[in-house]
Amino acid sequence: GDSVTQTEGPVTVSESESLIINCTYSATSIAYPNLFWYVRYPGEGLQLLLKVITAGQKGSSRGFEATYNKETTSFHLQKASVQESDSAVYYCALGGTGGNNKLTFGQGTVLSVIP
Amino acid sequence: DPKIIQKPKYLVAVTGSEKILICEQYLGHNAMYWYRQSAKKPLEFMFSYSYQKLMDNQTASSRFQPQSSKKNHLDLQITALKPDDSATYFCASSQDLDWGGYEQYFGPGTRLTVL
């Protein structure tokens, strides 16, 4: 089946440092999956951070970036300079294309940013 | 105002009983979903509905029955509850189902504990 593996947390980073959360996927039932990063801030619900639906493309939002790499089956999340407000749980997910909107999630990575 | 309402927020049940989890979305979406997150496991897809019709069922047990009385409602009935059913259940919705790039919006979840 399809699966997503991401950096096991918790991850602790000092403010203004760079961040990378690794995500690799295996899409056995989907030839060209759509890739997503979702985030859950403390006390809030799960919300979309960014998505990329075309291999080779980069998505960005709130200073975060992720590039869809089909060769390495990866979708790593990066940010050049984190802020304390970035403390949250980050989830990598893959979705189907056309008639199958099921999302397969990674286990989530807890990020704590120290001021 | 919350766009996806899930009720109740917390639910405690005894083994063997039956409960209904409520989900209403006010986004005007045509597709709705249920996901489950058990302790230390990734979010797991359960069902998808489109225009009140079941499209995908990844739940092995018939004890889980979604019910859609209105286009913007997708409740989840769980019968013969077991302790293993303890999890947080998330409802989600998207504009449509026929393209995997549609963003899914998630509700706040119902945390179910089965004693």
Side-chain angles (χ1 to χ4, degrees), chain A residues 62-104:
Chain A
R62 307 179 204 176
F64 289 90
E65 296 182 337
T67 299
Y68 184 160
N69 189 321
K70 191 170 187 292
E71 286 69 38
T72 59
T73 63
S74 66
F75 191 54
H76 307 319
L77 183 68
Q78 302 183 69
K79 188 171 187 181
S81 176
V82 297
Q83 301 171 343
E84 189 178 1
S85 57
D86 294 326
S87 296
V89 184
Y90 293 82
Y91 297 88
C92 184
L94 70 87
T97 56
N100 178 1
N101 216 13
K102 162 192 167 185
L103 289 176
T104 299

Side-chain angles (χ1 to χ4, degrees), chain A:
Chain A
D2 304 328
S3 65
V4 175
T5 303
Q6 58 183 102
T7 299
E8 193 154 341
V11 172
T12 302
V13 180
S14 296
E15 206 165 27
S16 77
E17 287 189 347
S18 63
L19 168 73
I20 181 166
I21 298 176
N22 292 327
C23 171
T24 57
Y25 66 89
S26 171
T28 57
S29 66
I30 311 165
Y32 299 96
N34 300 314
L35 297 176
F36 304 84
W37 277 101
Y38 278 82
V39 60
R40 181 184 292 136
Y41 296 104
E44 298 185 17
L46 197 64
Q47 57 186 276
L48 181 67
L49 178 61
L50 58 87
K51 72 177 183 184
V52 180
I53 62 172
T54 304
Q57 298 296 309
K58 179 170 68 178
S60 60
S61 174
R62 307 179 204 176
F64 289 90
E65 296 182 337
T67 299
Y68 184 160
N69 189 321
K70 191 170 187 292
E71 286 69 38
T72 59
T73 63
S74 66
F75 191 54
H76 307 319
L77 183 68
Q78 302 183 69
K79 188 171 187 181
S81 176
V82 297
Q83 301 171 343
E84 189 178 1
S85 57
D86 294 326
S87 296
V89 184
Y90 293 82
Y91 297 88
C92 184
L94 70 87
T97 56
N100 178 1
N101 216 13
K102 162 192 167 185
L103 289 176
T104 299
F105 283 88
Q107 76 274 25
T109 300
V110 176
L111 172 66
S112 295
V113 179
I114 301 172

Side-chain angles (χ1 to χ4, degrees), chain B residues 2 4 9 11 18 21 29 33 35 48 55 67 74 76-77 80 100 108:
Chain B
I4 300 181
K9 188 173 182 179
L11 189 55
E18 171 182 315
L21 281 55
H29 288 168
Y33 314 82
Y35 290 82
S48 63
M55 302 303 292
Q67 301 170 342
L74 185 64
L76 181 64
Q77 179 185 40

